[in-house]
Structures are given as C-alpha cells and as structure tokens.
Amino acid sequence: MKERKTSRGQIVMLIILSILLVLNSAYIIYDKYYLAKEKEKKAEEKIKEDKEDKKEKVDKKKTTRNLSLAEEKILLSQIDDYNTFLAQYYPIQDIKELDNQKKLLFAYALLDLKGHKDFMQGELKKIVDSYFGKDNNVIYEDIICDHNDGVLFKYDSTTRVFEQTGNHGHDHIESYRSNNYLITGNVLNEEEYTVEVKTIYENYCGGTCGPTLNYYKNAKDAKREENPVITRQEEKELTETDYENVKNKLESTIYTFKKDSNGNYGLKSVKNKI
C-alpha cells in the first residue's frame, strides 16, 4: 500500500515537471522568436523615426533665396576685381590652394599704390580678409615681383611694414579688364553664396593699357589676342545690345563665396560651368 502511494506521488511529480518543462520550452520559443522579432521591428521603426527627424531638422535648416540688390552689387564688384588680377589662374578649385604670392599681389594691386610707397600689414590684411574671408590661409612675407624681377616689397615682421625696394621701375601687375553679366545668384543658409556670370574680357593690359578695340570670351584669348567675339574700329563702351548679340558665345563661370562673422564675402572657388 505504501509503495502504491509512493508510485502515485512520483507520477504526479513527473506530470508536474513535464508540464513545467513544456511551459518553459514554450516561453523560450516565444522569447527567442516572437519577442525577438518584435524587438527587431521596434528597433527598425526607431531608426526610421530618427532618420525622418534628422531629415526634417536638416530641411528646416536649409534655406535658399536669391541675392538681394545690395549683395549683387558687392559680389559683382568683387568678381570684377578677381577677374582683373586673378583671371589668368582660372579655374580655381579651392582658393586655399592658390599660391600665397598671388594673393599678396592681388591685395597689393587693390591698394592702387603709386611710386615707391610703404604700407602696413594691416592695410593689406583688410583687403585680404574682405576678398578671401577672415579665416584665410594667407602668410605675410616678402612680395615677389610678378615679372620675375626679385623682391618688390620687403616685409619686416617686427614693424609689420612692407617697404618697396628701389630697383623696380614699375608698380603694376598683369591685369585683365572685364565686363560681367549676372545670370543667377543664390544664397544657402545665409552664408553660402553661388554666383553665375558671363564675362566679356577687354584687351589684355600688361601695364600701360591702350584703347579697347577687341573683346574676348576668356582671359587666355585676351592675352593671346585670339578669337575676339567683338571687334571695333574705334573705342566705345559696351552696350546691352552688344552683350545680347554675343552672349551665346560666352562662357559661364560660377563663383562660390562664404560669408564670415565679420560680413566678408570670402571667395571659395571659381569654376567653369559644365
């Protein structure tokens, strides 16, 4: 009788253990497959939501508008100066890669100095910052003559004075006069500026500039006096009609700028429109 009770108890215990084992297996299956898939689904939804939130924030930050009349005037004036003294180096993929001496000569040319006159670094820096932005990589050093005639201005880093040397009979640098016509101008996020223009270059001027009788589509043709788009018998100013007649022959150039915290429109690149 006692043995029968023991056997019955063992059977009950085995049944209970079997039930627990089945339940435990069922939970493992549930946790491993169903819950895992739910967790994976929620994780994917979270990633999707995060991406959408990030995209929405980026889209809100991006604002684009056209140039104002004041900005158009400033930037076209700067483009005219870049063309005058830097056109021979176009295209410029990144202004930071342009040789340091070329930037110094550009700034010096805009001081419009006459004769043997000294000037301070601060005078030059004001122009450099205005045209290349306050975060430019310009190094102040001796300015070398662009006619391969030695040092044009000796720089004293102690006094920060540029002193013109006495062995130069000239104070000009190679220049290209141009007429610029705005095609488009856009501003992104109130700091990145993109300006597309078409340009008519006048006769190349190596120092003493004669009358302008021929006009060209780029600086290279102007220097070589090849492929003029306009030819005249006597000098007179270009008109809108002149531009309209040749605009389809002209190249489009895209200038990019970044406006810094001081309000300077620093040139970033000059590229031909493809």
Side-chain angles (χ1 to χ4, degrees):
M1 186 72 177
K2 186 176 179 181
E3 289 179 1
R4 190 178 295 174
K5 285 183 179 179
T6 301
S7 298
R8 188 179 297 171
Q10 289 175 342
I11 291 171
V12 172
M13 183 62 69
L14 286 173
I15 292 172
I16 292 171
L17 289 173
S18 298
I19 293 171
L20 290 174
L21 182 61
V22 170
L23 291 173
N24 185 59
S25 299
Y27 177 77
I28 290 172
I29 293 171
Y30 173 80
D31 181 63
K32 187 174 182 180
Y33 295 100
Y34 181 77
L35 286 183
K37 285 186 178 180
E38 283 294 310
K39 289 177 182 178
E40 185 178 342
K41 185 179 178 181
K42 288 181 179 179
E44 288 176 353
E45 289 176 351
K46 181 71 167 58
I47 291 172
K48 186 178 178 181
E49 289 175 1
D50 290 344
K51 284 182 178 179
E52 289 176 351
D53 289 343
K54 193 176 291 184
K55 183 177 181 299
E56 187 177 347
K57 288 177 181 178
V58 170
D59 290 341
K60 284 181 179 178
K61 285 183 179 180
K62 285 185 178 180
T63 57
T64 304
R65 63 173 176 80
N66 295 328
L67 292 177
S68 68
L69 290 177
E71 290 167 337
E72 180 181 320
K73 183 178 179 180
I74 292 170
L75 292 174
L76 284 178
S77 175
Q78 288 191 197
I79 286 171
D80 184 60
D81 291 333
Y82 297 130
N83 289 350
T84 301
F85 300 111
L86 296 178
Q88 58 187 311
Y89 310 118
Y90 292 170
I92 301 172
Q93 300 299 324
D94 184 344
I95 195 64
K96 289 187 176 181
E97 296 175 1
L98 185 66
D99 184 76
N100 193 67
Q101 281 293 316
K102 293 178 175 61
K103 294 174 185 173
L104 291 176
L105 279 167
F106 170 83
Y108 153 67
L110 290 180
L111 283 175
D112 195 27
L113 301 176
K114 301 296 181 182
H116 293 247
K117 183 179 178 181
D118 304 339
F119 55 92
M120 300 293 295
Q121 175 189 314
E123 297 177 75
L124 205 66
K125 185 177 185 302
K126 185 176 180 180
I127 294 174
V128 168
D129 290 354
S130 179
Y131 283 80
F132 303 118
K134 68 181 182 65
D135 296 324
N136 61 77
N137 62 341
V138 172
I139 298 171
Y140 294 94
E141 58 184 359
D142 293 350
I143 300 178
I144 309 301
C145 174
D146 70 330
H147 294 275
N148 298 316
D149 195 18
V151 176
L152 181 61
F153 283 92
K154 188 74 178 174
Y155 176 59
D156 188 327
S157 59
T158 303
T159 60
R160 297 188 176 184
V161 172
F162 284 88
E163 181 179 357
Q164 187 168 13
T165 59
N167 60 339
H168 289 266
H170 56 82
D171 63 354
H172 61 265
I173 70 171
E174 190 170 301
S175 61
Y176 299 79
R177 295 171 295 179
S178 65
N179 302 269
N180 304 293
Y181 302 87
L182 179 68
I183 305 301
T184 60
N186 297 306
V187 186
L188 177 64
N189 296 339
E190 296 303 318
E191 65 173 10
E192 297 175 24
Y193 290 71
T194 302
V195 182
E196 179 184 347
V197 303
K198 287 194 173 186
T199 300
I200 299 176
Y201 285 90
E202 300 180 13
N203 292 347
Y204 161 71
C205 182
T208 302
C209 304
T212 300
L213 301 178
N214 296 314
Y215 297 85
Y216 306 86
K217 64 181 180 181
N218 56 49
K220 184 184 293 183
D221 284 350
K223 186 169 185 178
R224 295 176 178 176
E225 298 184 357
E226 296 177 346
N227 310 313
V229 293
I230 298 174
T231 299
R232 290 196 167 130
Q233 299 303 314
E234 60 181 22
E235 184 174 28
K236 58 181 179 180
E237 291 187 2
L238 286 178
T239 65
E240 281 297 321
T241 301
D242 292 325
Y243 167 68
E244 289 295 329
N245 288 338
V246 300
K247 67 179 182 181
N248 291 333
K249 299 179 182 179
L250 302 177
E251 300 172 353
S252 286
T253 306
I254 297 176
Y255 302 76
T256 60
F257 302 83
K258 186 170 183 179
K259 188 176 182 180
D260 64 29
S261 57
N262 290 343
N264 301 310
Y265 298 90
L267 182 68
K268 307 304 291 182
S269 67
V270 183
K271 301 177 182 179
N272 296 326
K273 185 177 181 181
I274 300 173

